[in-house]
């Protein structure tokens, strides 16, 4: 399979629809990601719906670097249909690597959604196949470290921008 042509498809878990990111989700996602406390570990500030829509348009267009593939999803809770977070994978085919990240809105944290979504994406990446999965986790973000561990990642001594590099060989 040519990893350069990979696109985020629809995935699913028992409780979540893992849907390819589209600009139309920006309004609802602005609320999901709007808690300033959510950005304590991930950095930045909450974006307005318009700013998020602009960002999602750029993400939908794909990476301007032909050696990088962006795959981005929103997470919709089955049942009530509410969006609860995002998961993303940045593939670098030349190094046979994908970086995985997840964000769950504050009201939905602690329910296992991040683990469900990250497992769905890591399984999808392993099936492509991708040789190495990477996640970067702030050393004080114990919940995110638990998600990484639940998905089979292990911490390494490598640090990048103050975050611990976790790796998984699927």
């Amino acid at each position: 399979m040519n990893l350069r042509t990979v696109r985020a498809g629809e995935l699913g878990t028992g409780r979540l629809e893992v849907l390819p990111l589209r600009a139309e989700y920006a309004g609802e996602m602005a609320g999901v990601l709007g808690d300033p406390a959510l950005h304590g570990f991930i950095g930045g500030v909450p974006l307005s719906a318009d700013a998020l829509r602009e960002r999602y348009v750029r993400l939908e267009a794909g990476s301007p670097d032909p050696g990088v593939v962006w795959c981005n999803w929103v997470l919709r809770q089955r049942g009530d249909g509410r969006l609860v977070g995002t998961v993303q994978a940045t593939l670098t085919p030349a190094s046979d690597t994908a970086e995985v990240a997840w964000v769950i809105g504050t009201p939905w944290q602690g329910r296992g959604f991040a683990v469900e979504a990250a497992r769905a994406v890591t399984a999808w990446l392993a099936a492509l196949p991708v040789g190495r999965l990477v996640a970067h986790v702030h050393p004080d973000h114990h919940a995110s470290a638990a998600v990484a561990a639940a998905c089979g990642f292990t911490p390494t001594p490598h640090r990048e921008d103050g975050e611990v590099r976790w790796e998984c060989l699927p």
Side-chain angles (χ1 to χ4, degrees):
M1 170 180 287
N2 181 353
L3 292 180
R4 287 178 171 78
T5 62
V6 169
R7 296 289 171 254
E10 193 168 315
L11 305 172
T13 73
R15 299 182 299 158
L16 297 170
E17 293 176 82
V18 183
L19 305 170
L21 179 99
R22 294 196 311 256
E24 69 190 62
Y25 297 130
E28 187 174 353
M29 286 304 299
V32 172
L33 304 174
D35 181 357
L38 184 64
H39 298 267
F41 289 116
I42 63 174
V45 296
L47 297 177
S48 69
D50 288 340
L52 202 54
R53 187 171 296 103
E54 289 175 18
R55 181 170 193 264
Y56 286 1
V57 166
R58 287 191 307 275
L59 291 172
E60 278 187 89
S63 172
D65 180 343
V68 174
V69 178
W70 292 341
C71 297
N72 296 277
W73 296 267
V74 295
L75 309 174
R76 177 180 289 149
Q77 190 172 359
R78 296 186 192 277
D80 70 6
R82 296 198 58 192
L83 297 177
V84 299
T86 65
V87 66
Q88 64 187 49
T90 301
L91 287 75
T92 308
S95 65
D96 198 23
T97 301
E99 293 194 33
V100 182
W102 48 85
V103 178
I104 302 296
T106 306
W108 300 277
Q109 291 178 1
R111 298 183 193 181
F113 290 138
V115 171
E116 274 187 49
R119 281 183 175 161
V121 169
T122 57
W124 178 78
L125 290 164
L128 288 178
V130 172
R132 178 182 9 214
L133 305 178
V134 174
H136 292 94
V137 177
H138 189 283
D140 295 329
H141 199 318
H142 304 293
S144 200
V147 171
C151 293
F153 290 80
T154 55
T156 71
H158 180 75
R159 301 290 187 271
E160 187 172 319
D161 295 328
E163 294 184 324
V164 177
R165 179 182 174 113
W166 290 63
E167 293 186 0
C168 176
L169 301 175

